[in-house]
Amino acid sequence: MSMTLSSKALYKSHGQDSSYFEGWEEYKTNPYNEITNPSGIIQMGLAENQLSFDLLESWLEKNPDVTRFKKEEGSSMFRELALFQDYHGLQAFKNELVEFMAEIRERKVIFDPDNLVLTAGATSANETIMFCLADPGEAILIPTPYYPGFDRDLSWRTGIEIVPIESSSSNGFRITKNSIEKVYQQARDNNIQVKAMFITNPSNPLGTTMTNEELSQIIQFSISNNLHIVSDEIYSGTVFNTPSFISILEALHFQKGHEIWDRVHLVSSLSKDLGLPGFRIGMIYSNNKALISAATKMSSFGLISSQTQYLLSKILADKEFMKIHREENKKRLKMRQESLVSGLNKCGIECLKGNAGLFCWADFRNLLKSNTFEAELNLWKIILREVKLNICPGSSCHCVEPGWFRICFANMKEKTLDLAVQRIKACVINSLGRGRDLGNICDAS
């Protein structure tokens, strides 16, 4: 007799069937390679920072004893690191992490290592916070557009509801007080218990930082309605242009929001700032002792290896190197973003003005046959299968306007990015030469 799987194993809310993940699957079947497959699909759906990897490799070459787990006097750390470590993490690593977080925020915020929980990446951190804040059936408010993986990270296993706060291009996709109040009241009318506001700052996919006004509205609304605030700030070290980044904790000090002090929680990682997603370094920071205690216990299901913590604590402790890395990384991100924006502009494609992140939020609306999400998906399919670029359609980010796409620029060589822009340009020129827009071509396909 065959046995069925659990309801969780069969539950369809993982989000793996969205166009975001579908593009990844198609890319795997025909990945671009400069030498072996130059006509393959270029991966522009991966928000990965490879632009300053050479700096890290250079540091490792100059500090070989660290990778050999040797102490300064020459004895080995291997046995010490290989044996059991509790789930609180190495204290030396946590001390260096809070210093790193403070430096990124120009020391406008100071962090206490005792309020830090280590997790296996930001994915684990976000899910852990959801388990701590809400029960199945309860909800969080989250501004759109947002990272497609949040449907999985925040909702799949926790069973919480995601209530989107809609934004539009009319004001640069900024959050407004009216939009927050509207969806909150709708949730209340539907007997949905809202427990928290969840924001991503800097934004993925917009590549923008939140303003003081936006953060103030979020803080004041959360105070008035007794809500928690979760701020995912994993892109805080990628801010390469003005305006500067304002952390939710800095805004809280400015607002003097002491009554909500223990209901504001921050998520960070080293995946984007240092370009180390494979090391799975995530963290939760909160002044709520009960949440920190619960999250620390939950972290035992996704620990960071002691060897990883040891290695990265040594890199982070080199303050001179970290300063050079921060400055050079921002410089390279700025140059690469400007290169992509300029190339798209020459193709007649405008981008939202961004100052952070590893991607651009590009406006393809004038290439749609109609102002519909069906036309957007048709356009996305031709870009993926004919132009051979994997980019992320706005519909997978829950954008309310068809025709916006997230395009990543930091996970490839500069010449590969140039080739990608050339492919877009050739496609647009080809479509206009036929007297038909790209939406028509997609529709015909």
Side-chain angles (χ1 to χ4, degrees):
M1 185 177 78
S2 63
M3 301 292 290
T4 59
L5 299 176
S6 71
S7 58
K8 180 59 65 180
L10 300 174
Y11 194 43
K12 300 296 184 181
S13 73
H14 181 276
Q16 200 76 29
D17 56 348
S18 76
S19 52
Y20 171 76
F21 290 106
E22 185 181 338
W24 274 71
E25 292 302 314
E26 189 122 1
Y27 162 76
K28 291 177 186 177
T29 66
N30 185 27
Y32 168 82
N33 183 282
E34 182 181 356
I35 305 300
T36 61
N37 191 23
S39 62
I41 299 172
I42 296 176
Q43 174 63 288
M44 306 188 83
L46 176 60
E48 187 173 75
N49 185 6
Q50 298 183 19
L51 300 188
S52 299
F53 212 72
D54 61 306
L55 300 180
L56 290 168
E57 290 175 324
S58 177
W59 189 93
L60 291 172
E61 290 176 0
K62 295 175 182 177
N63 297 272
D65 284 352
V66 175
T67 57
R68 296 170 188 162
F69 306 117
K70 287 188 176 181
K71 299 179 182 179
E72 290 183 4
E73 70 274 14
S75 61
S76 175
M77 284 281 294
F78 180 77
R79 176 184 291 271
E80 186 176 336
L81 294 171
L83 297 178
F84 176 77
Q85 301 284 346
D86 72 26
Y87 45 61
H88 291 82
L90 301 182
Q91 190 61 47
F93 181 49
K94 295 174 76 171
N95 291 343
E96 295 300 340
L97 275 177
V98 296
E99 282 292 302
F100 176 72
M101 293 166 67
E103 287 294 337
I104 285 177
R105 292 159 182 81
E106 299 177 343
R107 295 205 162 269
K108 295 176 181 177
V109 180
I110 303 299
F111 298 91
D112 182 347
D114 291 339
N115 293 350
L116 193 72
V117 179
L118 301 179
T119 64
T123 294
S124 176
N126 280 321
E127 184 186 59
T128 298
I129 284 186
M130 293 301 104
F131 273 122
C132 291
L133 296 184
D135 290 316
E138 295 180 330
I140 61 168
L141 306 181
I142 180 169
T144 64
Y146 62 80
Y147 165 56
F150 283 153
D151 293 321
R152 167 201 63 197
D153 302 350
L154 306 178
S155 181
W156 183 43
R157 296 200 300 182
T158 65
I160 70 164
E161 299 290 331
I162 294 177
V163 179
I165 303 171
E166 295 183 353
S167 63
S168 72
S169 61
S170 62
N171 70 341
F173 295 96
R174 294 295 179 183
I175 304 169
T176 66
K177 181 180 178 181
N178 289 340
S179 63
I180 299 173
E181 292 176 341
K182 178 182 177 181
V183 297
Y184 179 75
Q185 189 57 51
Q186 288 174 344
R188 293 289 298 273
D189 292 343
N190 291 321
N191 295 318
I192 297 174
Q193 178 67 41
V194 177
K195 299 298 292 290
M197 284 270 291
F198 184 99
I199 60 175
T200 309
N201 182 31
S203 169
N204 176 9
L206 299 178
T208 57
T209 51
M210 284 189 170
T211 64
N212 255 322
E213 181 182 5
E214 288 178 288
L215 293 170
S216 175
Q217 290 171 353
I218 289 167
I219 291 170
Q220 293 306 317
F221 183 85
S222 298
I223 290 174
S224 298
N225 295 281
N226 198 33
L227 301 180
H228 290 264
I229 301 173
V230 180
S231 183
D232 185 327
E233 300 184 359
I234 68 170
Y235 290 96
S236 56
T238 70
V239 181
F240 52 80
N241 213 340
T242 55
S244 61
F245 169 66
I246 305 172
S247 170
I248 187 66
L249 296 180
E250 180 185 347
L252 200 64
H253 281 295
F254 184 78
Q255 294 290 321
K256 298 181 180 180
H258 301 298
E259 56 192 296
I260 198 176
W261 187 246
D262 64 349
R263 299 204 309 273
V264 175
H265 322 288
L266 186 149
V267 169
S268 189
S269 83
L270 299 185
S271 296
K272 313 303 180 180
D273 297 344
L274 285 185
L276 298 174
F279 278 69
R280 308 310 304 149
I281 304 296
M283 60 209 84
I284 296 167
Y285 188 86
S286 174
N287 291 297
N288 188 312
K289 296 298 183 181
L291 183 142
I292 289 298
S293 175
T296 300
K297 295 169 186 173
M298 291 181 187
S299 72
S300 63
F301 295 100
L303 298 176
I304 306 167
S305 75
S306 299
Q307 293 82 0
T308 297
Q309 294 184 53
Y310 173 78
L311 170 61
L312 293 179
S313 68
K314 295 300 183 181
I315 296 176
L316 294 175
D318 189 336
K319 305 306 181 186
E320 182 179 353
F321 169 74
M322 292 308 303
K323 181 180 180 181
I324 292 172
H325 185 280
R326 280 195 304 274
E327 294 175 353
E328 184 64 21
N329 186 53
K330 290 181 181 181
K331 177 182 175 181
R332 295 181 184 185
L333 286 171
K334 186 175 187 291
M335 292 176 63
R336 185 60 68 85
Q337 189 255 17
E338 289 175 348
S339 177
L340 176 57
V341 170
S342 174
L344 291 174
N345 286 347
K346 292 175 182 177
C347 299
I349 298 168
E350 299 294 327
C351 296
L352 183 71
K353 186 176 181 181
N355 65 320
L358 312 175
F359 30 73
C360 292
W361 188 238
D363 184 0
F364 283 71
R365 286 178 296 177
N366 64 339
L367 299 180
L368 298 182
K369 180 182 177 182
S370 61
N371 186 32
T372 64
F373 287 109
E374 180 182 7
E376 177 186 277
L377 288 177
N378 284 336
L379 174 58
W380 170 71
K381 288 175 183 177
I382 204 70
I383 293 174
L384 178 64
R385 297 168 184 171
E386 300 297 331
V387 185
K388 301 293 180 64
L389 302 176
N390 179 35
I391 63 178
C392 179
S395 55
S396 66
C397 301
H398 301 272
C399 183
V400 297
E401 297 177 6
W404 291 88
F405 290 80
R406 190 194 74 168
I407 306 179
C408 299
F409 56 74
N411 63 315
M412 65 193 75
K413 296 179 180 178
E414 187 173 3
K415 62 190 301 185
T416 306
L417 183 68
D418 291 340
L419 174 60
V421 172
Q422 290 171 21
R423 289 184 180 185
I424 294 175
K425 182 178 180 180
C427 185
V428 173
I429 291 174
N430 184 48
S431 65
L432 294 177
R434 297 181 188 180
R436 303 158 68 194
D437 63 25
L438 196 53
N440 284 3
I441 294 175
C442 294
D443 189 61
S445 67

